[in-house]
């Protein structure tokens, strides 16, 4: 079963600069374990205590997995998973625009 995983720039040091990698697994958790076996260190950046890290967003075919089953979300062959770092804060210019 092949799953395409899109990797954000900040995590590409773990994937030798690759923007997308192939992975396998029947759940997001299994997929991350599979990625870890070929890209050591990446899983710790995604998971903490068996759950997604607070500032990591994961999308399965454009659906946020937090609104599905989180790390237990079921995967199918051909699915696409996108990992995005959460963006915090707002515009530093907002107070100046009057």
């Amino acid at each position: 079963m092949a799953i395409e995983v899109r990797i954000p720039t900040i995590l590409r040091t773990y994937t030798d600069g690759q923007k997308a990698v192939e992975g396998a697994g029947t759940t997001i958790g299994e997929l991350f374990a599979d990625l870890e076996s070929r890209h050591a260190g990446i899983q710790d950046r995604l998971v903490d205590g068996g759950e997604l890290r607070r500032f990591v967003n994961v999308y399965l075919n454009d659906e946020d997995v937090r609104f599905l089953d989180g790390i237990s979300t079921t995967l199918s062959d051909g699915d696409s998973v996108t990992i995005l770092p959460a963006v915090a804060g707002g515009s530093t210019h907002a107070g100046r625009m009057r």
Side-chain angles (χ1 to χ4, degrees):
M1 175 158 69
I3 310 292
E4 178 189 52
V5 184
R6 291 185 212 130
I7 307 294
T9 304
I10 196 166
L11 294 179
R12 290 181 192 160
T13 56
Y14 297 98
T15 62
D16 296 321
Q18 295 178 75
K19 295 178 182 181
V21 296
E22 291 278 316
T26 59
T27 66
I28 294 288
E30 288 179 13
L31 174 67
F32 289 169
D34 179 62
L35 291 178
E36 178 67 21
S37 72
R38 286 175 283 116
H39 307 287
I42 197 166
Q43 189 172 22
D44 286 340
R45 299 295 307 253
L46 305 173
V47 179
D48 183 31
E51 296 296 325
L52 287 176
R53 286 191 172 272
R54 183 175 174 194
F55 297 109
V56 172
N57 295 316
V58 176
Y59 296 89
L60 169 61
N61 303 323
D62 300 322
E63 292 276 337
D64 188 334
V65 299
R66 282 194 170 88
F67 297 107
L68 300 172
D69 290 323
I71 202 162
S72 300
T73 299
T74 303
L75 300 172
S76 299
D77 190 33
D79 278 344
S80 177
V81 172
T82 302
I83 301 167
L84 292 174
V87 178
S91 173
T92 57
H93 302 288
R96 296 182 199 148
M97 300 183 79
R98 291 188 191 158

